[in-house]
């Protein structure tokens, strides 16, 4: 551990940590793009009790929620290459699986992880939108798809928004585990910078500050959007 | 027995009570009428220290208590003598009907458990709930819950019971049974101070009616006097609004 | 490099890992104990009248909600000795588990503060009024009427936070604590990184089973405590 607190290093490394933000955000956004529609659909399979699929999503949610993210990362990180190697060998693709950018693994892990969380979010949100809404939509001649797109989904989103915010925040935080896949995000970048002189205290203060800013900002944006939705779309929560 | 002197209370800039005084004798059944927002409920809550007055006194059997600065001990002593019936019953959700009644006896009054259970059962019998000793509030209708609320108050054998709109949260079908219970305990000589919109109760049971409006007592008198011959304009207007057309004649 | 999947290593991992569950549970148990106390204090600050205390409590909760466990863990692991050192005290001999418990106490405390606050606020104030009106002291009212109801409301969220704690606790291996996760890393290292997948799957199954057991346990507790006692929902 370094002998004295290095302010200069603290400031310098803050920007190093900051440079990891885009990676963290890309992983978060891609995961959400995968998880939102997939989570919604799988939530529907549970609500409508679609055989096999509902059973699958139940086990899937249970496993993801029941195991640490870090273990999920290690499982994906050690199984996907095995799988790809044999696949590539079979099709004679000459790509070295060990040179794949780790961000792809991050997409897989965090996409799978947040899909499971979204299933739960939407499951409870959809159940709060009353059945009468769907019946009313049918009664005025909307098709199933129209009813969902125009009536059910907008209402569900408003109800689900606070929980989607929580999932997003947790997702951003979870990207800090990307170090296990050598993902160049906030934590790893700052930590590497600290390795030279053992300025770990300073580095972790920087990392802490970056996450604090990032999460506060995301929370603020969600709150504003929620307000906006509640204002312009009259929805009973 | 209970005298209230010059009670003032504001919430922010809103002056709810502007100097209210009243006197209740033993065995009185006093009904307070008045439009909503006139300060009736606040007055009741102040007497039981659920709200602190900005100014005012309560004289209870010759002990004078400052309604603004009363000590914990004084408050406790007054609450021992005064029971309260809430508009939305406020039964303890985590206790059965019987436990609701005995809670105050055992914990507040230190009555031995066996004795308290006996008293509790008697109180519930009196309000017609002998079958419901062990039911939880969630298993009772609104009318039954409010009757437990009354039993809970009666069991404490208080000097006076304050009723804060006891029937206004009830579905119409349950109002009658609660009013009947109130009539019964009134006939037994219980001193009662009742805020209600039930004119029939005021007419049939009360021996004194107070009309409040805008934080002051506008008029008080016997039910007959108030209903048939109100002296103040405001009282007349209020009664015309709340009573059926032919009610005056009917009295 | 020979890499293939062998179930033998999966089963073989269990006897090696299981004894270390003890460490995992000790960390979780101590963190729950101290974290709940901390949560009570912060919730009290948030519900109290002092504006300064409210600000501090809110700031604390926000900061901890925004900090990844691993970052908090290292902040504690490196930061506390650095601060203590200023006063001339060395923490070199302090066991790693202490830092882990401090970390998760801080985190669990923040989560519990919110759980306790929302449970408390879900109880209608009329319950308190009714209690004092039948002659209970304010303390008795809290102990006998408010707390038992708030407890039932808080139970599911408490269970969730507890599960979260057990899972996040797995990160303690990064500072070298040997719990189930730490042992798994050692086992993998001893096999020169071969058959890592089997070990991790074994590990995930262990966590999964623990989670399901805890979940069911809390469901049963909820049933037990709310038996016939429909909570909240003022008539």
């Amino acid at each position: 551990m370094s002998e004295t607190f290095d302010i200069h290093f603290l400031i310098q490394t803050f920007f190093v940590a900051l440079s990891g933000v885009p990676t963290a955000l890309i992983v978060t956004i891609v995961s959400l793009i995968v998880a939102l529609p997939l989570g919604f659909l799988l939530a529907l399979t549970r609500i409508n009790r679609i055989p096999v699929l509902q059973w699958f999503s139940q086990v899937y949610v249970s496993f993801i929620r029941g195991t640490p993210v870090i273990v999920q990362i290690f499982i994906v990180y050690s199984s996907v290459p095995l799988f790809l190697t044999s696949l590539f060998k079979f099709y004679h693709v000459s790509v070295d699986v060990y040179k794949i950018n780790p961000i792809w693994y991050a997409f897989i892990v965090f996409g799978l992880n947040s899909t499971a969380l979204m299933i739960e979010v939407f499951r409870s949100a959809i159940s709060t939108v009353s059945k009468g809404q769907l019946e009313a939509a049918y009664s005025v001649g909307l098709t199933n798809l129209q009813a969902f797109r125009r009536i059910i989904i907008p209402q569900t989103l408003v109800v689900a928004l606070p929980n989607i915010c929580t999932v997003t925040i947790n997702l951003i935080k979870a990207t800090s585990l990307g170090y296990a896949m050598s993902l160049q995000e906030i934590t790893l970048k700052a930590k590497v910078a600290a390795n030279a002189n053992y300025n770990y205290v300073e580095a972790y203060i920087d990392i802490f500050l970056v996450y604090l800013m990032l999460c506060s900002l995301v929370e603020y944006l969600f709150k504003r959007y929620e307000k906006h939705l509640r204002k312009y779309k009259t929805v009973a929560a | 027995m209970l005298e209230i002197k010059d009670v003032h209370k504001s919430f922010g800039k809103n002056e709810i009570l502007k100097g209210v005084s009243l006197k209740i004798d033993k065995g009185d059944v006093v009904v307070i009428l008045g439009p909503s927002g006139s300060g009736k409920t606040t007055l009741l809550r102040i007497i039981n220290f659920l709200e602190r007055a900005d100014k005012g006194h309560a004289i209870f059997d010759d002990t004078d208590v400052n309604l603004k600065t009363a000590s914990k001990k004084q408050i406790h002593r007054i609450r021992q003598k005064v029971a309260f019936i809430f508009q939305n019953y406020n039964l303890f959700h985590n206790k059965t009907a019987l436990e609701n009644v005995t809670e105050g006896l055992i914990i507040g009054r230190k009555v031995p458990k066996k004795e308290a259970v006996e008293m509790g059962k008697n109180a519930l019998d009196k309000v017609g709930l002998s079958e419901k000793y062990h039911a939880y509030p969630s298993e009772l209708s609104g009318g039954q819950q409010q009757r437990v609320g009354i039993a809970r108050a009666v069991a404490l054998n208080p000097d006076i019971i304050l009723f804060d709109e006891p029937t206004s949260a009830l579905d119409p079908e349950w109002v009658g049974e609660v009013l009947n219970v109130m009539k019964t305990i009134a006939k037994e000589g219980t001193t009662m101070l009742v805020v209600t919109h039930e004119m029939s109760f005021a007419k049939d049971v009360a021996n004194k009616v107070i009309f409040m409006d805008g934080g002051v007592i506008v008029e008080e008198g016997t039910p007959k006097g108030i209903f048939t011959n109100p002296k103040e304009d405001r009282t007349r207007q209020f009664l015309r609004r709340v009573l059926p057309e032919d009610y005056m004649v009917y009295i | 490099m020979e890499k293939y999947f062998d179930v033998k290593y999966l089963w073989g991992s269990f006897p090696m890992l299981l004894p270390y569950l003890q460490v995992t549970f000790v960390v979780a148990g101590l963190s729950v104990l101290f974290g709940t106390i901390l949560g009570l204090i912060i919730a009290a600050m948030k519900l109290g009248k002092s504006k300064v205390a409210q600000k501090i409590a809110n700031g604390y909760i926000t900061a901890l909600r925004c900090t990844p466990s691993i970052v908090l863990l290292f902040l504690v692991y490196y930061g506390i000795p650095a601060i203590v050192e200023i006063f001339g005290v060395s923490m070199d001999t302090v066991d790693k588990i202490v830092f882990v418990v401090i970390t998760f106490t801080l985190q669990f405390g923040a989560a519990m503060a919110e759980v306790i606050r929302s449970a408390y606020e879900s109880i209608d104030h009329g319950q308190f009024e009714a209690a004092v009106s039948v002659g209970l002291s304010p303390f008795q009212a809290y102990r006998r009427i408010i707390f038992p109801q708030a407890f039932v409301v808080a139970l599911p969220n408490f269970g969730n936070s507890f599960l979260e704690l057990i899972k996040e606790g797995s990160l303690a291996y990064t500072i070298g604590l040997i719990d189930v996760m730490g042992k798994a890393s050692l086992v993998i290292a001893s096999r020169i990184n071969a058959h890592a997948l089997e070990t991790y799957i074994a590990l995930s199954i262990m966590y999964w089973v623990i989670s399901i057991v805890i979940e069911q346990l809390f469901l049963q507790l909820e049933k037990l405590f709310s038996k016939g006692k429909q909570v909240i929902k003022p008539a």
Side-chain angles (χ1 to χ4, degrees):
Chain A
M1 204 165 302
S2 72
E3 288 301 308
T4 51
F5 193 80
D6 189 341
I7 293 280
H8 181 69
F9 179 84
L10 183 82
I11 295 166
Q12 213 176 9
T13 311
F14 178 75
F15 293 100
V16 176
L18 211 55
S19 73
V21 170
T23 309
L25 279 183
I26 289 169
V27 171
T28 303
I29 290 168
V30 171
S31 306
L32 285 179
I33 290 175
V34 174
L36 284 169
L38 205 56
F40 188 85
L41 287 176
L42 288 172
L44 283 180
T45 68
R46 289 213 55 194
I47 285 177
N48 296 328
R49 300 176 193 280
I50 294 172
V52 191
L53 274 179
Q54 76 147 348
W55 178 81
F56 166 78
S57 31
Q58 199 175 345
V59 174
Y60 175 54
V61 169
S62 167
F63 178 79
I64 298 284
R65 288 186 52 190
T67 53
V69 182
I70 187 76
V71 177
Q72 293 164 18
I73 288 175
F74 283 132
I75 289 179
V76 167
Y77 201 49
S78 50
S79 69
V80 172
L82 275 183
F83 177 69
L84 285 182
T85 316
S86 47
L87 196 74
F88 287 171
K89 219 185 238 164
F90 189 78
Y91 288 105
H92 306 289
V93 183
S94 57
V95 176
D96 186 349
V97 289
Y98 295 97
K99 283 191 178 148
I100 293 174
N101 190 328
I103 203 161
W104 289 100
Y105 292 111
F107 290 160
I108 296 173
V109 174
F110 295 116
L112 287 174
N113 184 280
S114 29
T115 299
L117 303 183
M118 285 301 174
I119 293 175
E120 284 304 276
V121 169
F122 283 124
R123 198 163 70 97
S124 72
I126 294 171
S127 59
T128 64
V129 177
S130 78
K131 221 178 161 188
Q133 292 290 315
L134 193 62
E135 286 169 358
Y138 291 150
S139 79
V140 297
L142 268 59
T143 65
N144 209 345
L145 194 70
Q146 286 168 332
F148 265 93
R149 210 176 64 79
R150 306 189 55 86
I151 309 294
I152 305 299
I153 293 181
Q155 292 188 36
T156 308
L157 268 184
V158 179
V159 179
L161 213 56
N163 287 330
I164 294 178
C165 177
T166 308
V167 171
T168 309
I169 298 283
N170 285 339
L171 188 54
I172 293 174
K173 282 158 60 183
T175 59
S176 66
L177 301 177
Y179 75 89
M181 305 176 274
S182 320
L183 183 70
Q184 294 293 318
E185 46 66 62
I186 303 163
T187 311
L188 188 63
K189 280 197 161 184
K191 209 168 88 181
V192 169
N195 279 343
N197 281 310
Y198 302 100
N199 301 99
Y200 290 119
V201 176
E202 293 89 331
Y204 277 101
I205 288 175
D206 285 328
I207 300 169
F208 165 73
L209 289 175
V210 170
Y211 280 111
L212 190 61
M213 285 164 43
L214 194 58
C215 292
S216 305
L217 182 71
V218 169
E219 236 169 54
Y220 171 76
L221 291 177
F222 266 98
K223 286 235 168 80
R224 274 197 53 171
Y225 186 56
E226 200 185 331
K227 243 189 195 162
H228 169 82
L229 279 186
R230 284 199 190 287
K231 210 170 183 179
Y232 297 105
K233 301 185 181 170
T234 45
V235 172
Chain B
M1 183 193 69
L2 170 64
E3 195 178 348
I4 306 293
K5 272 189 178 165
D6 196 28
V7 176
H8 289 257
K9 174 72 182 177
S10 303
F11 290 105
K13 284 190 178 148
N14 215 346
E15 204 178 354
I16 299 291
L17 294 175
K18 304 171 184 167
V20 173
S21 305
L22 60 87
K23 212 175 156 184
I24 300 167
D25 290 320
K26 195 164 167 53
D28 270 355
V29 176
V30 180
V31 167
I32 307 180
L33 301 176
S36 47
S38 56
K40 306 165 298 205
T41 292
T42 307
L43 179 66
L44 239 59
R45 291 170 60 83
I46 282 174
I47 297 173
N48 208 24
F49 290 96
L50 298 176
E51 219 78 69
R52 282 283 183 146
D54 298 334
K55 193 185 159 192
H57 284 260
I59 299 156
F60 225 108
D61 297 335
D62 305 325
T63 13
D64 188 319
V65 179
N66 187 319
L67 289 170
K68 185 183 178 194
T69 59
S71 68
K72 273 187 189 166
K73 230 184 192 162
Q74 284 175 317
I75 292 176
H76 196 67
R77 209 173 302 140
I78 290 211
R79 281 180 178 154
Q80 300 271 337
K81 298 182 180 185
V82 181
F84 201 97
I85 307 291
F86 296 86
Q87 184 177 347
N88 54 359
Y89 342 128
N90 283 342
L91 295 189
F92 305 130
H93 301 306
N94 58 330
K95 310 238 172 230
T96 61
L98 185 57
E99 286 166 350
N100 260 280
V101 181
T102 57
E103 182 73 14
L105 292 168
I106 297 170
I107 306 303
R109 297 261 170 104
K110 310 274 178 261
V111 175
K113 192 171 172 200
K114 220 172 167 183
E115 212 174 304
V117 168
E118 213 44 55
M119 292 162 78
K121 285 182 177 170
N122 283 338
L124 284 171
D125 294 347
K126 194 184 274 180
V127 299
L129 290 173
S130 313
E131 313 284 305
K132 299 287 184 185
Y133 292 161
H134 303 296
Y136 283 96
S138 59
E139 298 161 339
L140 299 172
S141 74
Q144 289 171 331
Q145 289 194 53
Q146 191 58 296
R147 275 147 64 194
V148 175
I150 294 173
R152 180 169 72 177
V154 169
L156 293 167
N157 195 19
D159 293 352
I160 179 169
I161 304 181
L162 311 178
F163 290 78
D164 179 18
E165 305 198 17
T167 56
S168 59
L170 291 173
D171 288 336
E173 53 179 317
W174 309 123
V175 171
E177 62 186 49
V178 170
L179 288 179
N180 279 338
V181 168
M182 286 169 65
K183 264 180 212 168
T184 313
I185 60 171
K187 274 189 195 133
E188 287 171 0
T190 314
T191 314
M192 296 161 67
L193 179 58
V194 184
V195 170
T196 188
H197 294 294
E198 293 296 330
M199 295 299 155
S200 67
F201 182 81
K203 181 179 74 82
D204 299 341
V205 187
N207 62 339
K208 188 166 159 191
V209 173
I210 294 175
F211 175 67
M212 269 181 83
D213 191 13
V216 293
I217 291 179
V218 177
E219 187 171 350
E220 54 182 288
T222 61
K224 198 157 187 179
I226 293 278
F227 283 118
T228 54
N229 190 18
K231 292 184 184 64
E232 300 289 330
D233 243 8
R234 275 197 277 179
T235 316
R236 216 168 294 141
Q237 277 169 15
F238 172 75
L239 290 173
R240 204 171 299 144
R241 250 199 339 269
V242 298
L243 293 177
E245 289 267 333
D246 54 351
Y247 200 82
M248 304 278 199
V249 183
Y250 162 74
I251 289 175
Chain C
M1 194 166 18
E2 202 183 359
K3 284 218 170 182
Y4 58 92
F5 191 83
D6 190 341
V7 181
K8 186 179 83 195
Y9 288 96
L10 203 163
W11 295 123
S13 299
F14 283 109
M16 284 192 276
L17 298 182
L18 277 171
Y20 293 87
L21 268 182
Q22 206 187 332
V23 183
T24 301
F25 283 130
V26 167
V27 168
L30 290 175
S31 306
V32 164
L33 182 67
F34 298 131
T36 306
I37 296 170
L38 180 64
L40 268 170
I41 295 169
I42 295 166
M45 284 167 73
K46 210 173 157 169
L47 292 164
K49 288 196 181 94
S50 158
K51 285 267 178 289
V52 183
Q54 280 175 17
K55 284 245 163 68
I56 294 173
N58 279 331
Y60 180 82
I61 292 167
T62 306
L64 272 111
R65 190 176 50 223
C66 291
T67 313
S69 311
I70 191 159
V71 176
L72 186 67
L73 185 60
F74 279 105
L75 265 180
V76 167
Y77 185 56
Y78 291 124
I80 290 183
I83 294 169
V84 171
E85 213 169 66
I86 299 172
F87 303 102
V89 184
S90 167
M91 289 188 80
D92 291 348
T93 54
V94 174
D95 197 287
K96 278 165 183 155
I97 199 169
V98 174
F99 297 104
V100 177
V101 169
I102 292 175
T103 301
F104 290 106
T105 295
L106 293 174
Q107 197 175 57
F108 195 73
M112 282 315 286
E114 286 296 83
V115 171
I116 293 167
R117 180 192 59 79
S118 69
Y120 174 80
E121 285 180 345
S122 75
I123 307 303
D124 180 17
H125 191 62
Q127 293 288 308
F128 179 81
E129 293 185 344
V132 294
S133 87
V134 298
L136 269 60
S137 71
F139 177 75
Q140 287 169 332
Y142 279 113
R143 197 172 63 79
R144 301 188 51 89
I145 306 298
I146 307 291
F147 176 77
Q149 294 183 43
F151 178 76
V152 181
V153 177
L155 212 52
N157 288 329
F158 180 85
N160 277 340
S161 302
F162 182 52
L163 268 182
E164 218 38 57
L165 170 66
I166 295 223
K167 292 189 298 174
E168 293 294 300
S170 62
L171 294 172
Y173 87 97
T174 53
I175 65 165
L177 183 80
I178 315 293
D179 61 350
V180 262
M181 181 76 197
K183 182 61 184 173
S185 315
L186 289 181
V187 168
I188 290 161
S190 73
R191 292 185 193 140
I192 327 168
N193 287 336
H195 303 292
L197 181 59
E198 291 89 328
T199 314
Y200 285 126
I201 288 178
L203 187 62
S204 70
I205 291 171
M206 284 170 62
Y207 273 109
W208 195 8
V209 170
I210 293 169
S211 296
I212 290 171
V213 169
I214 291 175
E215 210 169 35
Q216 289 305 317
L217 189 77
F218 273 89
L219 278 178
Q220 294 308 315
L221 279 179
E222 238 179 287
K223 256 191 211 153
L224 185 73
F225 283 109
S226 56
K227 200 174 173 187
K229 312 177 190 182
Q230 171 58 44
V231 193
I232 9 176
K233 289 240 167 100

